[in-house]
């Protein structure tokens, strides 16, 4: 068994699934024009926040009549805001096939105490999308960050649905083609596909969602940072950059740079192509090695961002310990940082393949992954 270390190393060993790698051309100098020490309510602050909103619309192809707001507490805050503000008028279906989707189920049932039907699937699988009742409101994640399983497209959502769809798209936005006509409340954070800084979320509302907000008042009290209406009308300023709480203008500048970089690589089609090329490199490696496989069972629902892998070799005595040892070995060599599986997920590895990661770095990582696997197998056999 060859244990010679590969020669080529990734230029950037950052393969974390959040916060994710910065765009390849990023440097601290790109933040030089940040409106530091200025009020976000000053003209310069408002202009930058509005630019962030409108460039998001441009890159993602969000319809002109959809509202885009910058909100606090990352994707979690954005999705909680959508749930607490929109749900309760009609029954709800909660779809979950990974950790974050399961968290939304807990909020719906234990906190909001909604009339909820829960559809779940094990890690690596997805729920029966054909069975979903769209007379109800439906909550789901487009891409399961901790399972590497995504919905295949938006075709399973009917255009004439009676209920609203609430979509957590945090590891899908800017890497997958979101079907905006099928989504009523969509959320994500800057820290994922574009490698932005954490703590800010994006909330995108369809006209149907706005109509719900203006016609329905939830029975529970809403914290100040969740309030999207006043006097029965949408607080429209939120969707022009007049944020509910104070944003970091440094993070805003960082996001503006990432959006400009996204445009420079071809916009959304270019970002999708970069993620797919990264995942294709891993797929070729998996096909060539029988000791590793994707956690996602069906290629049609396999993520192209948070790519989750599992070890399948019968010689592995303790899957969790083995996977951790491989990840630790690669980190010690400076080859790959933060690629262990999510704490609630099955043992394995999770390699971020979003557009800010260079395919050349994925290709350089993979021989090292084989090296680390062989080294750990040899160490395990030596201890036996």
């Amino acid at each position: 068994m060859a244990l010679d270390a590969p020669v080529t190393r990734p230029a950037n060993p950052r393969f974390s699934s959040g916060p994710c790698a910065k765009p390849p051309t990023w440097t601290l100098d790109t933040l030089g024009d940040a409106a530091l020490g200025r009020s976000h309510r000053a003209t310069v602050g408002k202009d930058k926040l509005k630019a962030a909103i409108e460039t998001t619309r441009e890159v993602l192809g969000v319809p002109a009549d959809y509202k885009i707001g910058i909100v606090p507490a990352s994707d979690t805050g954005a999705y909680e805001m959508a749930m607490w503000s929109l749900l309760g008028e009609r029954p709800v279906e909660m779809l979950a096939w990974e950790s974050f989707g399961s968290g939304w189920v807990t909020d719906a049932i234990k906190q909001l105490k909604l009339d909820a039907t829960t559809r779940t699937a094990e890690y690596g699988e997805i729920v029966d999308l054909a069975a979903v009742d769209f007379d109800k409101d439906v909550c789901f994640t487009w891409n399961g960050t901790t399972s590497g399983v995504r919905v295949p497209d938006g075709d399973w959502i009917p255009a004439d649905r009676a209920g609203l769809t609430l979509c957590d798209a945090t590891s899908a936005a800017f890497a997958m083609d979101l079907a905006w006509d099928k989504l009523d409340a969509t959320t994500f954070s800057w820290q994922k596909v574009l490698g932005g800084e954490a703590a800010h979320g994006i909330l995108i509302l369809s006209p149907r969602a706005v109509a719900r907000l203006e016609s329905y008042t939830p029975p529970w009290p809403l914290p100040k940072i969740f309030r999207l209406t006043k006097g029965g009308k949408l607080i429209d300023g939120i969707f022009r950059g007049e944020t509910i709480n104070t944003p970091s203008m440094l993070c805003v500048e960082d996001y503006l740079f990432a959006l400009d970089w996204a445009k420079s690589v071809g916009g959304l089609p270019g970002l999708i192509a970069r993620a797919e090329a990264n995942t294709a490199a891993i797929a070729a490696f998996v096909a060539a090695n029988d000791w590793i496989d994707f956690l996602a069972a069906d290629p049609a629902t396999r993520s192209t961002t948070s790519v989750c892998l599992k070890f399948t070799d019968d010689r592995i005595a303790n899957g969790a310990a083995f996977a951790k040892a491989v990840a630790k070995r690669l980190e010690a060599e400076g080859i790959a940082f933060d690629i262990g599986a999510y704490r609630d997920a099955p043992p394995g590895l999770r390699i971020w393949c979003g557009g800010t990661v260079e395919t050349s770095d994925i290709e350089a990582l993979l021989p090292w992954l084989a090296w680390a696997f062989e080294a750990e197998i040899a160490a395990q056999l030596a201890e036996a």
Side-chain angles (χ1 to χ4, degrees):
M1 185 176 293
L3 294 180
D4 292 338
V7 175
T8 303
R9 306 169 66 88
N12 184 356
R14 293 168 177 82
F15 300 103
S16 164
S17 292
C20 302
K22 310 296 285 183
T25 59
W26 184 92
T27 69
L28 281 172
D29 292 340
T30 64
L31 306 179
D33 194 39
L36 304 184
R38 296 297 307 275
S39 170
H40 60 293
R41 296 185 179 92
T43 299
V44 63
K46 286 183 178 180
D47 286 349
K48 286 183 178 291
L49 288 162
K50 186 176 181 180
I53 288 171
E54 292 310 318
T55 312
T56 297
R57 186 185 306 278
E58 176 189 353
V59 175
L60 289 180
V62 178
D65 58 348
Y66 279 49
K67 303 289 186 177
I68 303 176
I70 297 170
V71 300
S74 197
D75 175 66
T76 300
Y79 202 77
E80 294 277 14
M81 181 181 291
M83 289 181 65
W84 284 67
S85 299
L86 291 167
L87 298 182
E89 183 185 61
R90 58 178 61 227
V92 61
E93 292 221 2
M94 305 297 301
L95 314 184
W97 49 86
E98 52 95 45
S99 301
F100 292 103
S102 297
W104 308 140
V105 170
T106 298
D107 287 348
I109 294 175
K110 293 187 177 181
Q111 303 301 323
L112 297 177
K113 303 186 186 305
L114 295 170
D115 177 8
T117 299
T118 301
R119 300 182 185 275
T120 61
E122 296 298 319
Y123 279 88
E125 306 287 344
I126 198 167
V127 301
D128 181 1
L129 298 175
V132 178
D133 181 0
F134 286 94
D135 283 339
K136 303 174 181 178
D137 294 331
V138 177
C139 297
F140 71 102
T141 56
W142 190 280
N143 181 83
T145 309
T146 65
S147 69
V149 174
R150 64 174 179 176
V151 298
D153 48 44
D155 293 348
W156 57 285
I157 304 173
D160 61 350
R161 61 195 178 278
L164 299 179
T165 54
L166 281 66
C167 175
D168 174 355
T170 200
S171 56
F174 298 107
M176 301 171 195
D177 191 11
L178 302 178
W180 292 111
D181 60 323
K182 304 298 182 67
L183 304 179
D184 294 306
T186 307
T187 67
F188 62 88
S189 69
W190 300 346
Q191 65 164 323
K192 291 294 185 181
V193 180
L194 290 189
E197 294 304 298
H200 297 78
I202 294 286
L203 172 63
I204 303 177
L205 301 176
S206 74
R208 298 178 76 243
V210 173
R212 169 76 64 84
L213 286 169
E214 294 185 335
S215 64
Y216 165 71
T217 301
W220 43 77
L222 286 176
K224 179 180 178 181
I225 61 170
F226 283 6
R227 296 173 198 161
L228 294 168
T229 61
K230 183 176 182 180
K233 293 295 183 182
L234 188 73
I235 304 174
D236 206 53
I238 294 171
F239 305 93
R240 297 194 303 266
E242 298 169 15
T243 56
I244 295 173
N245 70 335
T246 304
S248 163
M249 297 311 297
L250 192 65
C251 292
V252 170
E253 195 70 23
D254 186 70
Y255 183 50
L256 287 170
F257 169 80
L259 288 167
D260 285 343
W261 171 81
K263 291 166 64 177
S264 77
V265 298
L268 182 60
L271 292 169
I272 291 173
R274 288 173 67 90
E276 289 180 345
N278 290 339
T279 307
I282 294 180
F285 179 81
V286 167
N289 293 278
D290 61 4
W291 46 267
I292 196 165
D293 200 358
F294 290 97
L295 180 60
D298 183 357
T301 58
R302 188 173 292 159
S303 173
T304 54
T305 54
S306 52
V307 176
C308 297
L309 303 172
K310 60 183 179 181
F311 293 105
T312 58
D313 195 290
D314 291 338
R315 294 171 293 176
I316 298 173
N318 183 321
F322 187 89
K324 287 180 180 178
V326 168
K328 184 177 180 180
R329 187 179 290 269
L330 290 171
E331 181 165 349
E333 292 288 337
I335 297 301
F337 299 149
D338 311 320
I339 65 167
Y342 189 74
R343 60 180 179 269
D344 296 334
L349 303 176
R350 182 172 57 155
I351 301 171
W352 184 256
C353 287
T356 59
V357 173
E358 299 278 30
T359 302
S360 58
D361 285 333
I362 295 286
E363 291 171 340
L365 161 65
L366 295 171
W368 282 93
L369 176 53
W371 168 84
F373 167 78
E374 293 178 354
E376 291 304 324
I377 286 291
Q380 180 176 287
L381 292 176
E383 293 174 359

